[in-house]
Amino acid sequence: MELVGGLVSALVTGGVTLLVVVAAVLVGGIVIVSRRRSRPAQVSGDVRRRAGSALVRADDRIGEGESDVEFAIAQFGEKAAAEYRDAVRQARTDRDEIFRLHRLIDDEPGAGLANRERAARIVMLADRIERTLGEQAASFRERRSLESTAPDRLERVRTRVADARARLTVTTRQRDALLEQHSRSALGPAVDAPERAMRSLDRAESLAAEAAPGSTALASSVMQTIAEAERMLFAADEALDAVDAVAERLDDAADALQQLRDDARVVRTEALEAAATAPDGDSGAAITEAVAELDRAVEAAKAAAADPLEQLDDLRTAMDAVEVALASSRTQAQRLAHAREAYLAARVQTEAQLAVAREALGSSGSAGARARLAEAEDELRASAALIDTDPVDALDAARRALTHARDAEVLARY
């Protein structure tokens, strides 16, 4: 009996041990499978971070290159900087491909292997941009350090200061004239551009005097002083360019606003006729209400010393409401005609919003903000290509561009 009892005890103990081992194996297998299953999401997150980081790095490097190549042209002339300009142009093409691949990663989050390959190509393109533009920048840094170029560069600084001061007088009058017509907010950063330009020119002139022949400073210090004077001149030119740019935008907005006002008169007449013959009371009331909103927007658009871009937005919104109310009674020809007329206003608004978004991005901004900005620019280019063949699609593309540009500003600021 003791022998039988011992055998039974051994069998029970062995069985329990076997069950424990099996359970451990099963649990281990479940954990391994679970980890394997959760890995794609983790890899996708890593891929997105790598791609986003490379996108920001490439975009920043191109921004620096674009500024530096203009600086190089101002210093040494167009011909000397031609190769640098070509390198920046190629870098922009590479950046377009980076944005395209980044959009694919966002649109297809579950494409594990494909997204890893896309991220790897994004990193490769970003590395190429950094390497190519870095080589060009280093070449011009070396050229700026050559003592033999000092006399010519100093003379060029003096000439450019004199030219910029003459331009400053004209630009200040231009800014003042704009302020008589528009609100200060309509001018944005250009509102104090002449004052900023004057400070930069004063500093450049002072630095040029410090670097003049007869100075007791070391040669290396003289070269640094001249380089700083050139940077101040470049900053002055950028400030003066800002006034020209905002003047052009406001002129475009005023033209678009007038065109939209003219279109509003035609649409108003058509809408009132449609309201009189509406098939039911609700339809007629909706059209009448939309026309009343349009009248208020047209009246507000006549206000003096305002922002034509804001007026344009309000009037376009009111026009869209009338279009929705009239949708059922419009013919295809009428829809095409309206889209063609509304396109200019949408394009002007989008270009202005793109400028605001770029300013908000500055030298920072997330990959998401930069990607939205690139999408806005792509949509606007697409709209321009469509306007002659399909005005409705062109208008839709311009409005999508405006939405993307506004999203880019929000992402950049917050």
Side-chain angles (χ1 to χ4, degrees):
M1 290 297 292
E2 290 181 1
L3 178 60
V4 172
L7 287 173
V8 170
S9 176
L11 287 172
V12 170
T13 302
V16 170
T17 303
L18 180 60
L19 287 172
V20 170
V21 171
V22 170
V25 170
L26 286 173
V27 170
I30 289 170
V31 170
I32 291 171
V33 170
S34 175
R35 286 177 177 173
R36 284 179 178 172
R37 285 180 178 172
S38 64
R39 192 172 297 163
Q42 181 182 354
V43 170
S44 179
D46 292 341
V47 165
R48 190 173 287 106
R49 282 190 291 274
R50 284 180 60 216
S53 175
L55 182 152
V56 170
R57 181 161 51 91
D59 200 36
D60 281 345
R61 193 66 191 82
I62 290 174
E64 293 166 5
E66 288 171 336
S67 179
D68 194 43
V69 75
E70 295 301 325
F71 187 30
I73 290 169
Q75 286 179 300
F76 304 109
E78 188 79 41
K79 185 176 180 180
E83 188 176 338
Y84 199 172
R85 187 182 282 283
D86 289 343
V88 170
R89 190 177 295 115
Q90 178 57 50
R92 289 194 193 109
T93 300
D94 287 345
R95 180 178 58 185
D96 289 343
E97 176 66 3
I98 286 175
F99 279 123
R100 187 187 72 82
L101 292 169
H102 189 271
R103 278 196 293 272
L104 288 174
I105 291 173
D106 279 345
D107 292 343
E108 301 174 10
L113 178 59
N115 282 342
R116 284 194 291 274
E117 291 173 350
R118 289 163 182 163
R121 178 157 175 76
I122 286 174
V123 171
M124 183 275 290
L125 290 170
D127 289 344
R128 184 165 76 183
I129 288 169
E130 278 204 301
R131 182 177 63 255
T132 304
L133 296 187
E135 289 170 356
Q136 289 292 332
S139 173
F140 276 89
R141 277 197 303 272
E142 182 179 356
R143 186 168 182 171
R144 290 176 185 123
S145 69
L146 295 176
E147 297 174 23
S148 59
T149 65
D152 289 342
R153 287 172 61 189
L154 189 57
E155 182 58 32
R156 189 164 182 160
V157 165
R158 291 176 178 141
T159 301
R160 288 179 59 204
V161 167
D163 291 344
R165 287 201 184 279
R167 185 185 173 197
L168 175 62
T169 302
V170 174
T171 302
T172 302
R173 290 198 202 102
Q174 182 185 26
R175 188 275 314 271
D176 293 344
L178 289 172
L179 285 174
E180 290 177 3
Q181 302 170 36
H182 307 293
S183 63
R184 292 179 66 85
S185 62
L187 272 67
V191 72
D192 66 342
E195 288 72 26
R196 287 187 281 114
M198 181 180 291
R199 289 193 293 271
S200 294
L201 290 174
D202 289 345
R203 180 60 179 154
E205 199 166 39
S206 174
L207 290 165
E210 292 177 21
S215 169
T216 58
L218 295 173
S220 58
S221 176
V222 168
M223 299 306 295
Q224 290 174 3
T225 301
I226 293 174
E228 181 62 21
E230 290 168 334
R231 277 189 284 274
M232 289 295 101
L233 271 168
F234 188 66
D237 285 338
E238 283 190 319
L240 296 176
D241 288 343
V243 177
D244 289 337
V246 78
E248 184 176 352
R249 271 201 308 274
L250 290 171
D251 283 345
D252 287 345
D255 290 343
L257 190 59
Q258 183 57 53
Q259 181 175 318
L260 206 57
R261 282 197 205 104
D262 294 340
D263 190 27
R265 283 195 292 271
V266 176
V267 169
R268 184 182 189 279
T269 301
E270 179 189 343
L272 290 176
E273 291 173 356
T277 58
D280 56 76
D282 289 343
S283 298
I287 295 173
T288 302
E289 184 179 348
V291 169
E293 287 295 329
L294 180 60
D295 288 342
R296 282 190 282 272
V298 169
E299 193 60 33
K302 297 176 182 176
D307 185 341
L309 290 166
E310 288 185 5
Q311 295 171 329
L312 197 61
D313 188 37
D314 293 341
L315 186 53
R316 184 188 63 79
T317 300
M319 288 281 287
D320 287 348
V322 175
E323 288 300 318
V324 170
L326 290 174
S328 60
S329 62
R330 286 230 163 189
T331 66
Q332 178 64 8
Q334 287 172 322
R335 282 192 287 272
L336 290 173
H338 164 70
R340 199 172 281 110
E341 290 163 352
Y343 175 75
L344 174 61
R347 179 180 62 78
V348 169
Q349 276 186 284
T350 301
E351 288 172 347
Q353 182 59 45
L354 282 169
V356 171
R358 291 189 192 104
E359 182 195 347
L361 273 168
S363 59
S364 60
S366 65
R370 295 164 195 254
R372 286 289 182 279
L373 186 64
E375 286 182 70
E377 291 168 339
D378 288 346
E379 289 282 14
L380 190 59
R381 278 193 294 269
S383 77
L386 286 168
I387 187 60
D388 291 330
T389 56
D390 194 335
V392 173
D393 278 357
L395 181 60
D396 287 344
R399 288 174 175 171
R400 286 195 299 272
L402 179 59
T403 299
H404 289 321
R406 284 172 173 163
D407 289 346
E409 182 195 0
V410 170
L411 289 170
R413 294 191 190 283
Y414 304 104

